[in-house]
Amino acid sequence: MSRARLFVLRLAVAAMMLTLLARLWQLQIADGDRYARAAADVRIRTVPLPPTRGRILDVAGRPLATNRTRPVVTVDAVELAHQPDGGEAVLTRLGKALGRTYRQMAEKVRLCGPEVAQPCWQGSPYEPIPVAEGVAALRVSERQQDFPGVRTELRPVRAYPYGAAAAHLLGYVQGAKGRDGLEGAYDRELAGRAGRREVAVDHTGRVTRTIREDPPVPGDTLVTGIDARIQAVAERALGRALSSAGGSSGAAVVMESWTGRVVAMADRPSYDPGVWTDGVTAGEYRELPLLSRAVQGEWAPGSTWKVTSVAAAASAGYGLGATYGCPSGYTVGDRLFRNFGSADLGRMTMRGALVESCDTIFYRLADELWQRGSDAMQRTARGFGFGRPTGVDLPGEAAGAVPGPASKKARWQATRKETCRRAGKGYPELDDRARAAYLTALARENCRGGGVWRGGDAANFAIGQGGVLVTPLQLARAYAAVANGGTLFSPRVGLKIVRPDGSTARAVEPPVAGRLPASPATLDFIRRALSEVPRSGTAAGAFEGFPFDQIAVAGKTGTAESFGRRDTSWFASFAPDPAYTVVVVLSEGGLGAEGAAPAARDIWEGILGLRERR
């Protein structure tokens, strides 16, 4: 190569190097700050893509919770935030189109945070937030240009075919997440696996492009032990009973005695969980009765509790076949405890004490055991599963209360101290104001007495009063155990989880939680005595003309005093065929024989009618 050509080549290489150095200087020095800011302004955000939620079915495959494709109005919160007025004008126009105020619309689209209470959007801020569906969506779609940041699209929404029936049992979905009930307890299976979309956003949060997208995987189906037909029977019976008795709230539970499966669970007051589909306002949220009375409601059980007292008496050596006096009253210390209606029923066996519901026999037994320093009644009650959650596959279950004698003074005082603290301060940590008010009132009602267990406390304990609290589900589980010979189950609503391809992912079996602390002879005695209650005892009026030859119902009435309110009405019952246990409670429902017992009869007759139609 000639020197001239070599010179030219070197000159070209030098020029290229100078050009590269100049460009690097421009990028690194001259424009470095600008490019650094631009790089910092680009962020990657991951937006979850919600899958189609799995269905909830009853035992026969009837849908209790499903999905339907509907036109839905959604709001892009980030886009609204970038508008000059923060989206106020758009939300105001949208509210007028939907028959809402600006404030109501703003409550639907506000994002949850540490200082933001319910209701709020619990999903990602980059997800479209649903605010309306159906006809309203069509109205908005016709004027799309008036609503920047608002979209109308077809998407699956949660649907509850039975409306308010079993609302607390099913729970609800908010922000693609199951809340309460079965929706919450089985959310992991029902929710499926979310897909994801990775998007690039600028420093203002505006999406600039989509980088990657993985599709979602649909959720599994939950098959339950609920029979939708019996659920409907229980709902109607409970509603009629509350209307007739003037009660404020109540619950009905139907269980399979030999398996521990829940067949029906009705609550009042109730609501349609479909209200969550397009969000709720703060005012609407405050009005929602979110407390499940069947699982979270706690009441004194009254005379339905006497099955535990009979079992305790038997374990303490009292003869079930012996006769006892049932006077009009029994004195403990300086206080006279009266029989119901001050009735003097003469002498009777323990069988008669259950059938006629003699209180004074149980006052005497409890007083004698207390004077002997025995805690047989408390031990037996706990052995029946009271004072602790049943472990049902539903969230938020209450534990009830089994107060103890003087030998357990420290525990008794600690329990009472916590109850009184709640009574004074309420439940500020709960978003559900209605539930907080209910629990606060309950705490005040039970914050009484001196905190030391006395003979009078023992007497009240024996008849299901004096600080004793149970949930309807706890009582149903205990009576189911009496019916099946002593096996205490941890109830289950779920039956099995089914994959989208139809195969079974897993079965849900009610685990055995223990055995009742009563001999087979004692349980047989209790069953025989309870079989007479609806025939000739305290529930005979409510069951007059009932076809016992077709369903041999046994049961126990309960009437519990409630401080400052009308009595709580109870009826707990079971039958060998069909082997169901049915429990009904009516808050402020009056006498057990006049409120809850007729409702339980309605349920049993409904079950009989369904069996005859098969």
Side-chain angles (χ1 to χ4, degrees):
M1 181 182 294
S2 66
R3 289 187 176 182
R5 290 182 179 179
L6 184 60
F7 176 78
V8 171
L9 179 59
R10 290 175 176 173
L11 186 62
V13 171
M16 292 173 63
M17 292 296 295
L18 287 173
T19 302
L20 179 60
L21 290 172
R23 182 59 176 163
L24 287 174
W25 179 86
Q26 182 181 13
L27 292 175
Q28 296 283 345
I29 306 301
D31 296 331
D33 292 341
R34 180 168 63 86
Y35 282 110
R37 287 194 303 270
D41 286 344
V42 177
R43 298 287 187 271
I44 305 300
R45 297 288 184 266
T46 299
V47 180
L49 300 176
T52 300
R53 193 170 181 83
R55 299 184 299 163
I56 302 176
L57 308 178
D58 87 336
V59 68
R62 305 177 189 95
L64 301 174
T66 186
N67 306 292
R68 65 184 181 205
T69 301
R70 297 289 302 274
V72 176
V73 178
T74 63
V75 171
D76 186 331
V78 173
E79 187 169 341
L80 287 189
H82 284 85
Q83 295 175 4
D85 60 354
E88 181 175 348
V90 171
L91 289 180
T92 300
R93 290 195 298 273
L94 183 60
K96 289 181 179 179
L98 300 177
R100 302 271 186 169
T101 64
Y102 164 74
R103 180 178 177 180
Q104 290 173 325
M105 297 306 301
E107 288 173 348
K108 286 175 177 280
V109 301
R110 66 178 179 173
L111 304 176
C112 289
E115 305 298 325
V116 181
Q118 286 275 22
C120 56
W121 175 248
Q122 302 198 33
S124 167
Y126 298 99
E127 288 182 74
I129 303 175
V131 296
E133 63 165 285
V135 177
L138 297 177
R139 288 201 301 266
V140 172
S141 65
E142 294 172 353
R143 301 165 47 196
Q144 197 72 62
Q145 69 281 359
D146 295 335
F147 307 107
V150 178
R151 303 286 184 272
T152 302
E153 56 186 296
L154 289 174
R155 54 190 300 184
V157 298
R158 205 60 167 162
Y160 300 90
Y162 293 94
H168 298 93
L169 177 68
L170 294 171
Y172 59 92
V173 177
Q174 185 188 26
K177 184 171 180 59
R179 308 282 176 183
D180 285 343
L182 295 172
E183 296 277 24
Y186 290 91
D187 182 63
R188 183 173 60 85
E189 293 89 348
L190 292 168
R193 188 171 70 248
R196 66 175 188 172
R197 178 185 297 129
E198 292 183 349
V199 296
V201 298
D202 60 20
H203 71 285
T204 66
R206 191 183 302 275
V207 176
T208 57
R209 70 182 188 280
T210 298
I211 299 173
R212 176 183 174 183
E213 184 170 318
D214 296 324
V217 177
D220 295 336
T221 292
L222 171 65
V223 180
T224 71
I226 299 297
D227 187 321
R229 301 170 306 164
I230 297 179
Q231 179 71 35
V233 166
E235 296 279 355
R236 288 194 298 269
L238 181 62
R240 283 196 299 263
L242 284 172
S243 177
S244 176
S248 58
S249 61
V253 178
V254 182
M255 288 181 61
E256 290 181 352
S257 302
W258 287 83
T259 68
R261 295 199 181 280
V262 177
V263 177
M265 186 181 288
D267 276 280
R268 287 290 190 281
S270 189
Y271 71 101
D272 186 346
V275 300
W276 295 95
T277 299
D278 54 5
V280 297
T281 65
E284 292 169 338
Y285 182 81
R286 285 193 295 269
E287 296 298 320
L288 291 177
L290 298 179
L291 181 77
S292 169
R293 264 65 183 182
V295 177
Q296 298 167 319
E298 298 170 290
W299 291 273
S303 292
T304 61
W305 184 258
K306 289 175 181 175
V307 295
T308 71
S309 297
V310 168
S315 69
Y318 288 89
L320 298 180
T323 59
Y324 304 88
C326 181
S328 61
Y330 180 84
T331 301
V332 179
D334 58 355
R335 180 180 174 187
L336 178 63
F337 288 79
R338 295 190 177 277
N339 221 352
F340 180 76
S342 297
D344 186 341
L345 302 179
R347 296 192 67 78
M348 60 179 60
T349 64
M350 198 70 76
R351 184 179 187 133
L354 279 177
V355 175
E356 299 297 329
S357 203
C358 172
D359 290 340
T360 49
I361 286 179
F362 293 98
Y363 292 148
R364 175 195 164 190
L365 295 176
D367 184 36
E368 291 177 353
L369 289 171
W370 175 72
Q371 291 187 45
R372 286 158 44 184
S374 171
D375 65 349
M377 287 200 169
Q378 283 69 32
R379 284 188 287 104
T380 303
R382 294 189 185 97
F384 270 68
F386 297 112
R388 68 177 189 270
T390 68
V392 68
D393 51 344
L394 294 170
E397 183 183 12
V402 177
S407 60
K408 308 293 183 182
K409 179 178 177 181
R411 182 170 61 189
W412 166 250
Q413 289 181 327
T415 301
R416 184 179 179 277
K417 181 178 179 181
E418 172 62 14
T419 299
C420 294
R421 186 188 72 82
R422 287 295 197 185
K425 296 186 177 180
Y427 292 74
E429 73 275 15
L430 294 178
D431 288 333
D432 181 358
R433 296 186 183 181
R435 180 182 177 192
Y438 171 84
L439 293 175
T440 301
L442 184 68
R444 288 173 180 164
E445 179 178 330
N446 290 283
C447 178
R448 303 196 305 277
V452 177
W453 191 259
R454 297 185 174 91
D457 298 311
N460 275 325
F461 182 95
I463 63 165
Q465 299 269 186
V468 178
L469 294 174
V470 304
T471 69
L473 183 63
Q474 285 177 323
L475 195 63
R477 175 173 78 150
Y479 270 72
V482 171
N484 70 33
T487 301
L488 202 64
F489 287 100
S490 183
R492 289 293 180 269
V493 182
L495 185 64
K496 60 182 177 179
I497 305 295
V498 178
R499 300 186 184 93
D501 63 6
S503 61
T504 298
R506 68 181 176 95
V508 180
E509 295 293 338
V512 174
R515 295 281 303 175
L516 294 185
S519 68
T522 297
L523 292 177
D524 183 64
F525 175 89
I526 292 173
R527 286 192 296 270
R528 289 177 181 275
L530 295 186
S531 69
E532 294 183 23
V533 172
R535 291 171 173 82
S536 60
T538 55
F543 279 82
E544 183 178 1
F546 184 82
F548 291 106
D549 59 327
Q550 299 180 60
I551 300 183
V553 174
K556 186 73 189 78
T557 55
T559 304
E561 295 180 358
S562 183
F563 183 69
R565 301 181 182 181
R566 292 177 61 213
D567 293 342
T568 302
S569 177
W570 286 94
F571 192 73
S573 58
F574 53 80
D577 182 26
Y580 288 149
T581 294
V582 175
V583 168
V584 177
V585 61
L586 308 178
S587 179
E588 299 189 87
L591 300 179
E594 297 177 0
R601 173 180 177 156
D602 282 351
I603 293 174
W604 283 113
E605 288 181 334
I607 291 171
L608 176 61
L610 293 172
R611 187 168 68 173
E612 291 176 343
R613 288 199 292 271
R614 289 177 181 173

